[in-house]
mmCIF file of all heavy atoms in Angstrom:
data_model
loop_
_atom_site.group_PDB
_atom_site.id
_atom_site.type_symbol
_atom_site.label_atom_id
_atom_site.label_comp_id
_atom_site.label_asym_id
_atom_site.label_seq_id
_atom_site.Cartn_x
_atom_site.Cartn_y
_atom_site.Cartn_z
ATOM 1 N N SER A 489 33.591 53.530 -53.679
ATOM 2 C CA SER A 489 34.755 52.733 -53.602
ATOM 3 C C SER A 489 34.467 51.288 -53.557
ATOM 4 O O SER A 489 35.031 50.427 -54.258
ATOM 5 C CB SER A 489 35.635 53.192 -52.460
ATOM 6 O OG SER A 489 36.844 52.560 -52.422
ATOM 7 N N ALA A 490 33.509 50.906 -52.739
ATOM 8 C CA ALA A 490 33.090 49.532 -52.527
ATOM 9 C C ALA A 490 32.463 48.972 -53.842
ATOM 10 O O ALA A 490 32.752 47.873 -54.211
ATOM 11 C CB ALA A 490 32.082 49.392 -51.418
ATOM 12 N N GLU A 491 31.700 49.892 -54.531
ATOM 13 C CA GLU A 491 30.987 49.374 -55.728
ATOM 14 C C GLU A 491 32.119 49.112 -56.865
ATOM 15 O O GLU A 491 32.010 48.126 -57.575
ATOM 16 C CB GLU A 491 30.013 50.430 -56.206
ATOM 17 C CG GLU A 491 28.803 50.448 -55.280
ATOM 18 C CD GLU A 491 27.961 51.592 -55.676
ATOM 19 O OE1 GLU A 491 28.181 52.378 -56.549
ATOM 20 O OE2 GLU A 491 26.935 51.871 -54.897
ATOM 21 N N PHE A 492 33.007 50.014 -56.981
ATOM 22 C CA PHE A 492 34.107 49.910 -57.974
ATOM 23 C C PHE A 492 34.935 48.683 -57.713
ATOM 24 O O PHE A 492 35.183 47.930 -58.599
ATOM 25 C CB PHE A 492 34.869 51.129 -58.185
ATOM 26 C CG PHE A 492 35.884 51.110 -59.209
ATOM 27 C CD1 PHE A 492 35.629 51.817 -60.452
ATOM 28 C CD2 PHE A 492 37.128 50.533 -59.072
ATOM 29 C CE1 PHE A 492 36.596 51.727 -61.485
ATOM 30 C CE2 PHE A 492 38.059 50.425 -60.139
ATOM 31 C CZ PHE A 492 37.775 50.976 -61.300
ATOM 32 N N ASP A 493 35.310 48.483 -56.466
ATOM 33 C CA ASP A 493 36.190 47.350 -56.138
ATOM 34 C C ASP A 493 35.435 46.045 -56.316
ATOM 35 O O ASP A 493 36.124 45.147 -56.813
ATOM 36 C CB ASP A 493 36.605 47.604 -54.629
ATOM 37 C CG ASP A 493 37.400 46.431 -54.187
ATOM 38 O OD1 ASP A 493 38.520 46.119 -54.704
ATOM 39 O OD2 ASP A 493 36.903 45.635 -53.210
ATOM 40 N N HIS A 494 34.191 45.936 -56.010
ATOM 41 C CA HIS A 494 33.432 44.706 -56.218
ATOM 42 C C HIS A 494 33.409 44.502 -57.836
ATOM 43 O O HIS A 494 33.554 43.244 -58.169
ATOM 44 C CB HIS A 494 32.064 44.853 -55.674
ATOM 45 C CG HIS A 494 31.090 43.580 -55.912
ATOM 46 N ND1 HIS A 494 31.373 42.503 -55.188
ATOM 47 C CD2 HIS A 494 30.061 43.489 -56.650
ATOM 48 C CE1 HIS A 494 30.473 41.636 -55.655
ATOM 49 N NE2 HIS A 494 29.802 42.072 -56.535
ATOM 50 N N TRP A 495 33.063 45.477 -58.509
ATOM 51 C CA TRP A 495 33.079 45.261 -59.974
ATOM 52 C C TRP A 495 34.359 44.800 -60.489
ATOM 53 O O TRP A 495 34.505 43.921 -61.422
ATOM 54 C CB TRP A 495 32.536 46.624 -60.628
ATOM 55 C CG TRP A 495 32.568 46.570 -62.124
ATOM 56 C CD1 TRP A 495 31.538 46.217 -62.969
ATOM 57 C CD2 TRP A 495 33.679 46.900 -62.968
ATOM 58 N NE1 TRP A 495 31.948 46.203 -64.335
ATOM 59 C CE2 TRP A 495 33.224 46.804 -64.417
ATOM 60 C CE3 TRP A 495 35.028 47.419 -62.890
ATOM 61 C CZ2 TRP A 495 33.963 46.996 -65.476
ATOM 62 C CZ3 TRP A 495 35.766 47.732 -63.931
ATOM 63 C CH2 TRP A 495 35.265 47.527 -65.253
ATOM 64 N N ALA A 496 35.495 45.501 -60.041
ATOM 65 C CA ALA A 496 36.802 45.090 -60.451
ATOM 66 C C ALA A 496 37.099 43.650 -60.073
ATOM 67 O O ALA A 496 37.753 42.987 -60.984
ATOM 68 C CB ALA A 496 37.870 46.060 -59.983
ATOM 69 N N SER A 497 36.811 43.275 -58.932
ATOM 70 C CA SER A 497 37.021 41.911 -58.483
ATOM 71 C C SER A 497 36.305 40.934 -59.366
ATOM 72 O O SER A 497 36.873 39.897 -59.746
ATOM 73 C CB SER A 497 36.640 41.795 -57.049
ATOM 74 O OG SER A 497 36.742 40.486 -56.640
ATOM 75 N N GLU A 498 35.038 41.257 -59.758
ATOM 76 C CA GLU A 498 34.338 40.298 -60.578
ATOM 77 C C GLU A 498 35.011 40.221 -62.003
ATOM 78 O O GLU A 498 35.105 39.090 -62.537
ATOM 79 C CB GLU A 498 32.870 40.732 -60.656
ATOM 80 C CG GLU A 498 32.063 40.596 -59.449
ATOM 81 C CD GLU A 498 30.635 40.821 -59.691
ATOM 82 O OE1 GLU A 498 30.301 41.709 -60.536
ATOM 83 O OE2 GLU A 498 29.780 40.237 -59.111
ATOM 84 N N GLN A 499 35.377 41.260 -62.533
ATOM 85 C CA GLN A 499 35.964 41.231 -63.914
ATOM 86 C C GLN A 499 37.229 40.518 -63.827
ATOM 87 O O GLN A 499 37.693 39.766 -64.789
ATOM 88 C CB GLN A 499 36.185 42.714 -64.517
ATOM 89 C CG GLN A 499 34.967 43.689 -64.354
ATOM 90 C CD GLN A 499 33.606 42.974 -64.673
ATOM 91 O OE1 GLN A 499 33.460 42.236 -65.642
ATOM 92 N NE2 GLN A 499 32.689 43.149 -63.737
ATOM 93 N N LEU A 500 38.109 40.765 -62.876
ATOM 94 C CA LEU A 500 39.321 40.004 -62.807
ATOM 95 C C LEU A 500 39.130 38.488 -62.594
ATOM 96 O O LEU A 500 39.740 37.746 -63.195
ATOM 97 C CB LEU A 500 40.141 40.609 -61.494
ATOM 98 C CG LEU A 500 40.678 41.911 -61.755
ATOM 99 C CD1 LEU A 500 41.173 42.553 -60.340
ATOM 100 C CD2 LEU A 500 41.918 41.956 -62.759
ATOM 101 N N ALA A 501 38.144 38.194 -61.707
ATOM 102 C CA ALA A 501 37.861 36.799 -61.551
ATOM 103 C C ALA A 501 37.354 36.042 -62.847
ATOM 104 O O ALA A 501 37.612 34.881 -62.972
ATOM 105 C CB ALA A 501 36.753 36.603 -60.457
ATOM 106 N N ARG A 502 36.691 36.874 -63.769
ATOM 107 C CA ARG A 502 36.354 36.202 -65.002
ATOM 108 C C ARG A 502 37.377 36.334 -66.107
ATOM 109 O O ARG A 502 37.114 35.773 -67.190
ATOM 110 C CB ARG A 502 35.077 36.985 -65.525
ATOM 111 C CG ARG A 502 33.875 36.643 -64.772
ATOM 112 C CD ARG A 502 32.607 37.008 -65.569
ATOM 113 N NE ARG A 502 32.400 38.491 -65.673
ATOM 114 C CZ ARG A 502 31.614 39.062 -64.870
ATOM 115 N NH1 ARG A 502 30.764 38.556 -63.920
ATOM 116 N NH2 ARG A 502 31.446 40.525 -65.090
ATOM 117 N N GLY A 503 38.390 37.065 -65.821
ATOM 118 C CA GLY A 503 39.416 37.338 -66.893
ATOM 119 C C GLY A 503 38.911 38.157 -67.920
ATOM 120 O O GLY A 503 39.310 38.180 -69.144
ATOM 121 N N ASP A 504 37.908 39.057 -67.570
ATOM 122 C CA ASP A 504 37.316 39.948 -68.644
ATOM 123 C C ASP A 504 38.099 41.187 -68.881
ATOM 124 O O ASP A 504 37.862 42.311 -68.295
ATOM 125 C CB ASP A 504 35.833 40.348 -68.231
ATOM 126 C CG ASP A 504 34.980 40.790 -69.344
ATOM 127 O OD1 ASP A 504 35.626 41.348 -70.264
ATOM 128 O OD2 ASP A 504 33.808 40.811 -69.189
ATOM 129 N N VAL A 505 39.126 41.089 -69.611
ATOM 130 C CA VAL A 505 40.065 42.235 -69.815
ATOM 131 C C VAL A 505 39.318 43.433 -70.566
ATOM 132 O O VAL A 505 39.569 44.579 -70.380
ATOM 133 C CB VAL A 505 41.326 41.794 -70.609
ATOM 134 C CG1 VAL A 505 42.253 42.926 -71.059
ATOM 135 C CG2 VAL A 505 42.134 40.742 -69.824
ATOM 136 N N ASP A 506 38.451 42.956 -71.588
ATOM 137 C CA ASP A 506 37.678 43.962 -72.311
ATOM 138 C C ASP A 506 36.845 44.872 -71.444
ATOM 139 O O ASP A 506 36.893 46.025 -71.622
ATOM 140 C CB ASP A 506 36.722 43.296 -73.410
ATOM 141 C CG ASP A 506 37.613 42.724 -74.531
ATOM 142 O OD1 ASP A 506 38.679 43.062 -74.669
ATOM 143 O OD2 ASP A 506 36.978 41.752 -75.120
ATOM 144 N N ALA A 507 36.268 44.315 -70.373
ATOM 145 C CA ALA A 507 35.467 45.114 -69.464
ATOM 146 C C ALA A 507 36.331 46.083 -68.660
ATOM 147 O O ALA A 507 36.016 47.289 -68.526
ATOM 148 C CB ALA A 507 34.642 44.173 -68.561
ATOM 149 N N LEU A 508 37.564 45.554 -68.247
ATOM 150 C CA LEU A 508 38.368 46.381 -67.481
ATOM 151 C C LEU A 508 38.972 47.502 -68.361
ATOM 152 O O LEU A 508 39.119 48.676 -67.879
ATOM 153 C CB LEU A 508 39.549 45.505 -66.983
ATOM 154 C CG LEU A 508 39.146 44.569 -65.880
ATOM 155 C CD1 LEU A 508 40.151 43.449 -65.603
ATOM 156 C CD2 LEU A 508 38.973 45.237 -64.531
ATOM 157 N N LEU A 509 39.279 47.278 -69.643
ATOM 158 C CA LEU A 509 39.735 48.266 -70.389
ATOM 159 C C LEU A 509 38.712 49.341 -70.573
ATOM 160 O O LEU A 509 39.084 50.556 -70.857
ATOM 161 C CB LEU A 509 40.146 47.627 -71.850
ATOM 162 C CG LEU A 509 41.329 46.753 -71.941
ATOM 163 C CD1 LEU A 509 41.257 46.056 -73.339
ATOM 164 C CD2 LEU A 509 42.646 47.616 -71.758
ATOM 165 N N ASP A 510 37.501 49.068 -70.474
ATOM 166 C CA ASP A 510 36.355 50.087 -70.669
ATOM 167 C C ASP A 510 35.854 50.509 -69.287
ATOM 168 O O ASP A 510 34.783 50.938 -69.277
ATOM 169 C CB ASP A 510 35.189 49.381 -71.622
ATOM 170 C CG ASP A 510 34.354 50.430 -72.119
ATOM 171 O OD1 ASP A 510 34.768 51.579 -72.387
ATOM 172 O OD2 ASP A 510 33.125 50.089 -72.405
ATOM 173 N N PHE A 511 36.789 50.515 -68.280
ATOM 174 C CA PHE A 511 36.207 50.752 -66.936
ATOM 175 C C PHE A 511 35.597 52.223 -66.898
ATOM 176 O O PHE A 511 34.700 52.471 -66.037
ATOM 177 C CB PHE A 511 37.355 50.663 -65.888
ATOM 178 C CG PHE A 511 38.339 51.814 -65.933
ATOM 179 C CD1 PHE A 511 38.228 52.834 -64.966
ATOM 180 C CD2 PHE A 511 39.430 51.758 -66.980
ATOM 181 C CE1 PHE A 511 39.240 53.771 -65.095
ATOM 182 C CE2 PHE A 511 40.393 52.814 -66.857
ATOM 183 C CZ PHE A 511 40.208 53.816 -65.969
ATOM 184 N N ARG A 512 36.046 53.180 -67.600
ATOM 185 C CA ARG A 512 35.528 54.442 -67.457
ATOM 186 C C ARG A 512 34.124 54.566 -67.752
ATOM 187 O O ARG A 512 33.301 55.316 -67.098
ATOM 188 C CB ARG A 512 36.234 55.439 -68.458
ATOM 189 C CG ARG A 512 37.567 55.813 -68.106
ATOM 190 C CD ARG A 512 38.130 56.698 -69.256
ATOM 191 N NE ARG A 512 39.623 57.150 -69.116
ATOM 192 C CZ ARG A 512 40.509 56.346 -69.576
ATOM 193 N NH1 ARG A 512 40.277 55.265 -70.370
ATOM 194 N NH2 ARG A 512 41.840 56.784 -69.463
ATOM 195 N N ARG A 513 33.625 53.776 -68.681
ATOM 196 C CA ARG A 513 32.125 53.654 -69.022
ATOM 197 C C ARG A 513 31.377 52.659 -68.326
ATOM 198 O O ARG A 513 30.255 52.752 -67.882
ATOM 199 C CB ARG A 513 31.863 53.378 -70.477
ATOM 200 C CG ARG A 513 32.354 54.571 -71.404
ATOM 201 C CD ARG A 513 31.928 54.380 -72.773
ATOM 202 N NE ARG A 513 32.173 53.209 -73.477
ATOM 203 C CZ ARG A 513 31.266 52.264 -73.754
ATOM 204 N NH1 ARG A 513 30.004 52.455 -73.613
ATOM 205 N NH2 ARG A 513 31.536 51.155 -74.289
ATOM 206 N N ARG A 514 32.051 51.509 -67.973
ATOM 207 C CA ARG A 514 31.252 50.386 -67.420
ATOM 208 C C ARG A 514 31.248 50.321 -65.877
ATOM 209 O O ARG A 514 30.303 49.670 -65.381
ATOM 210 C CB ARG A 514 31.978 49.057 -67.954
ATOM 211 C CG ARG A 514 31.759 49.014 -69.442
ATOM 212 C CD ARG A 514 32.076 47.381 -69.830
ATOM 213 N NE ARG A 514 32.392 47.212 -71.241
ATOM 214 C CZ ARG A 514 32.375 46.018 -71.885
ATOM 215 N NH1 ARG A 514 32.378 44.955 -71.033
ATOM 216 N NH2 ARG A 514 32.691 45.940 -73.121
ATOM 217 N N ALA A 515 32.306 50.778 -65.201
ATOM 218 C CA ALA A 515 32.349 50.537 -63.845
ATOM 219 C C ALA A 515 31.484 51.391 -62.955
ATOM 220 O O ALA A 515 31.539 52.537 -63.190
ATOM 221 C CB ALA A 515 33.893 50.741 -63.353
ATOM 222 N N PRO A 516 30.838 50.867 -62.024
ATOM 223 C CA PRO A 516 29.955 51.777 -61.077
ATOM 224 C C PRO A 516 31.008 52.469 -60.194
ATOM 225 O O PRO A 516 32.135 52.012 -60.037
ATOM 226 C CB PRO A 516 29.172 50.674 -60.318
ATOM 227 C CG PRO A 516 30.065 49.405 -60.465
ATOM 228 C CD PRO A 516 30.694 49.426 -61.723
ATOM 229 N N GLY A 517 30.495 53.550 -59.691
ATOM 230 C CA GLY A 517 31.407 54.341 -58.745
ATOM 231 C C GLY A 517 32.245 55.358 -59.561
ATOM 232 O O GLY A 517 32.988 56.139 -58.867
ATOM 233 N N MET A 518 32.270 55.397 -60.923
ATOM 234 C CA MET A 518 33.031 56.318 -61.758
ATOM 235 C C MET A 518 32.133 57.556 -61.760
ATOM 236 O O MET A 518 30.904 57.386 -61.852
ATOM 237 C CB MET A 518 33.346 55.824 -63.027
ATOM 238 C CG MET A 518 34.467 54.682 -62.934
ATOM 239 S SD MET A 518 35.959 55.402 -62.294
ATOM 240 C CE MET A 518 36.482 56.308 -63.866
ATOM 241 N N PRO A 519 32.706 58.751 -61.869
ATOM 242 C CA PRO A 519 34.186 58.995 -61.777
ATOM 243 C C PRO A 519 34.710 59.188 -60.406
ATOM 244 O O PRO A 519 35.958 59.565 -60.222
ATOM 245 C CB PRO A 519 34.287 60.333 -62.526
ATOM 246 C CG PRO A 519 33.052 61.033 -62.209
ATOM 247 C CD PRO A 519 32.055 59.938 -62.139
ATOM 248 N N TYR A 520 33.918 58.931 -59.328
ATOM 249 C CA TYR A 520 34.476 59.162 -58.003
ATOM 250 C C TYR A 520 35.504 58.320 -57.697
ATOM 251 O O TYR A 520 36.533 58.713 -56.951
ATOM 252 C CB TYR A 520 33.337 59.023 -57.020
ATOM 253 C CG TYR A 520 32.059 59.995 -57.315
ATOM 254 C CD1 TYR A 520 30.995 59.453 -57.965
ATOM 255 C CD2 TYR A 520 32.130 61.241 -56.859
ATOM 256 C CE1 TYR A 520 29.923 60.328 -58.192
ATOM 257 C CE2 TYR A 520 31.037 62.063 -57.097
ATOM 258 C CZ TYR A 520 29.958 61.643 -57.753
ATOM 259 O OH TYR A 520 28.960 62.534 -58.054
ATOM 260 N N ALA A 521 35.459 57.077 -58.118
ATOM 261 C CA ALA A 521 36.631 56.018 -57.753
ATOM 262 C C ALA A 521 37.917 56.484 -58.459
ATOM 263 O O ALA A 521 38.967 56.267 -57.740
ATOM 264 C CB ALA A 521 36.233 54.694 -58.264
ATOM 265 N N HIS A 522 37.786 57.184 -59.577
ATOM 266 C CA HIS A 522 39.031 57.572 -60.256
ATOM 267 C C HIS A 522 38.677 58.870 -60.947
ATOM 268 O O HIS A 522 38.503 58.958 -62.193
ATOM 269 C CB HIS A 522 39.538 56.619 -61.249
ATOM 270 C CG HIS A 522 40.129 55.260 -60.662
ATOM 271 N ND1 HIS A 522 41.367 55.378 -59.978
ATOM 272 C CD2 HIS A 522 39.620 54.055 -60.410
ATOM 273 C CE1 HIS A 522 41.612 54.122 -59.430
ATOM 274 N NE2 HIS A 522 40.559 53.349 -59.742
ATOM 275 N N PRO A 523 38.741 60.022 -60.302
ATOM 276 C CA PRO A 523 38.497 61.296 -60.880
ATOM 277 C C PRO A 523 39.562 61.597 -61.941
ATOM 278 O O PRO A 523 39.418 62.225 -62.925
ATOM 279 C CB PRO A 523 38.467 62.311 -59.830
ATOM 280 C CG PRO A 523 39.106 61.582 -58.630
ATOM 281 C CD PRO A 523 38.867 60.104 -58.784
ATOM 282 N N THR A 524 40.817 61.075 -61.695
ATOM 283 C CA THR A 524 41.832 60.942 -62.601
ATOM 284 C C THR A 524 42.328 59.575 -62.615
ATOM 285 O O THR A 524 42.120 58.830 -61.706
ATOM 286 C CB THR A 524 43.070 61.918 -62.319
ATOM 287 O OG1 THR A 524 43.611 61.512 -61.028
ATOM 288 C CG2 THR A 524 42.708 63.317 -62.356
ATOM 289 N N THR A 525 42.790 59.013 -63.834
ATOM 290 C CA THR A 525 42.837 57.525 -63.919
ATOM 291 C C THR A 525 44.350 57.072 -63.781
ATOM 292 O O THR A 525 44.472 55.843 -63.964
ATOM 293 C CB THR A 525 42.275 57.132 -65.328
ATOM 294 O OG1 THR A 525 43.007 57.727 -66.291
ATOM 295 C CG2 THR A 525 40.875 57.455 -65.440
ATOM 296 N N GLU A 526 45.238 57.847 -63.338
ATOM 297 C CA GLU A 526 46.707 57.321 -63.403
ATOM 298 C C GLU A 526 46.829 56.217 -62.378
ATOM 299 O O GLU A 526 47.731 55.426 -62.517
ATOM 300 C CB GLU A 526 47.678 58.469 -63.064
ATOM 301 C CG GLU A 526 47.689 59.007 -61.738
ATOM 302 C CD GLU A 526 46.411 59.751 -61.257
ATOM 303 O OE1 GLU A 526 45.785 60.409 -62.115
ATOM 304 O OE2 GLU A 526 46.280 59.876 -59.991
ATOM 305 N N HIS A 527 46.001 56.168 -61.305
ATOM 306 C CA HIS A 527 46.255 55.089 -60.298
ATOM 307 C C HIS A 527 45.687 53.702 -60.746
ATOM 308 O O HIS A 527 46.050 52.686 -60.117
ATOM 309 C CB HIS A 527 45.800 55.587 -58.915
ATOM 310 C CG HIS A 527 46.676 56.328 -58.204
ATOM 311 N ND1 HIS A 527 47.016 57.606 -58.501
ATOM 312 C CD2 HIS A 527 47.568 55.954 -57.170
ATOM 313 C CE1 HIS A 527 47.869 58.128 -57.635
ATOM 314 N NE2 HIS A 527 48.199 57.200 -56.822
ATOM 315 N N PHE A 528 44.800 53.703 -61.631
ATOM 316 C CA PHE A 528 44.341 52.472 -62.203
ATOM 317 C C PHE A 528 45.206 52.063 -63.437
ATOM 318 O O PHE A 528 45.182 50.779 -63.725
ATOM 319 C CB PHE A 528 42.906 52.620 -62.594
ATOM 320 C CG PHE A 528 42.030 51.249 -62.655
ATOM 321 C CD1 PHE A 528 42.113 50.462 -61.516
ATOM 322 C CD2 PHE A 528 41.330 50.909 -63.705
ATOM 323 C CE1 PHE A 528 41.298 49.224 -61.534
ATOM 324 C CE2 PHE A 528 40.584 49.647 -63.733
ATOM 325 C CZ PHE A 528 40.694 48.868 -62.611
ATOM 326 N N ALA A 529 45.805 52.989 -63.999
ATOM 327 C CA ALA A 529 46.552 52.644 -65.334
ATOM 328 C C ALA A 529 47.575 51.618 -65.142
ATOM 329 O O ALA A 529 47.746 50.674 -66.050
ATOM 330 C CB ALA A 529 47.145 54.016 -65.795
ATOM 331 N N PRO A 530 48.345 51.537 -64.116
ATOM 332 C CA PRO A 530 49.416 50.516 -64.111
ATOM 333 C C PRO A 530 48.920 49.069 -64.092
ATOM 334 O O PRO A 530 49.571 48.120 -64.439
ATOM 335 C CB PRO A 530 50.110 50.766 -62.726
ATOM 336 C CG PRO A 530 49.919 52.134 -62.458
ATOM 337 C CD PRO A 530 48.532 52.344 -62.912
ATOM 338 N N LEU A 531 47.568 48.845 -63.702
ATOM 339 C CA LEU A 531 46.993 47.504 -63.917
ATOM 340 C C LEU A 531 47.061 46.945 -65.259
ATOM 341 O O LEU A 531 47.275 45.804 -65.435
ATOM 342 C CB LEU A 531 45.467 47.662 -63.401
ATOM 343 C CG LEU A 531 44.653 46.266 -63.640
ATOM 344 C CD1 LEU A 531 45.112 45.175 -62.764
ATOM 345 C CD2 LEU A 531 43.102 46.641 -63.450
ATOM 346 N N PHE A 532 46.862 47.844 -66.160
ATOM 347 C CA PHE A 532 46.899 47.363 -67.686
ATOM 348 C C PHE A 532 48.303 46.917 -68.087
ATOM 349 O O PHE A 532 48.385 46.025 -68.964
ATOM 350 C CB PHE A 532 46.233 48.385 -68.541
ATOM 351 C CG PHE A 532 44.943 48.694 -68.082
ATOM 352 C CD1 PHE A 532 44.608 49.885 -67.431
ATOM 353 C CD2 PHE A 532 43.923 47.776 -68.204
ATOM 354 C CE1 PHE A 532 43.321 50.205 -67.005
ATOM 355 C CE2 PHE A 532 42.473 48.023 -67.863
ATOM 356 C CZ PHE A 532 42.223 49.373 -67.174
#
């Protein structure tokens, strides 16, 4: 949870939408942070 949150914070701070769109492959802590992805989906 901490690793995914830190990664998300960094991408948001950079405005790196492409990285966020590819969170399933790029984000640390997956798939534990989001075993299903509906709770991250509203961000997009």
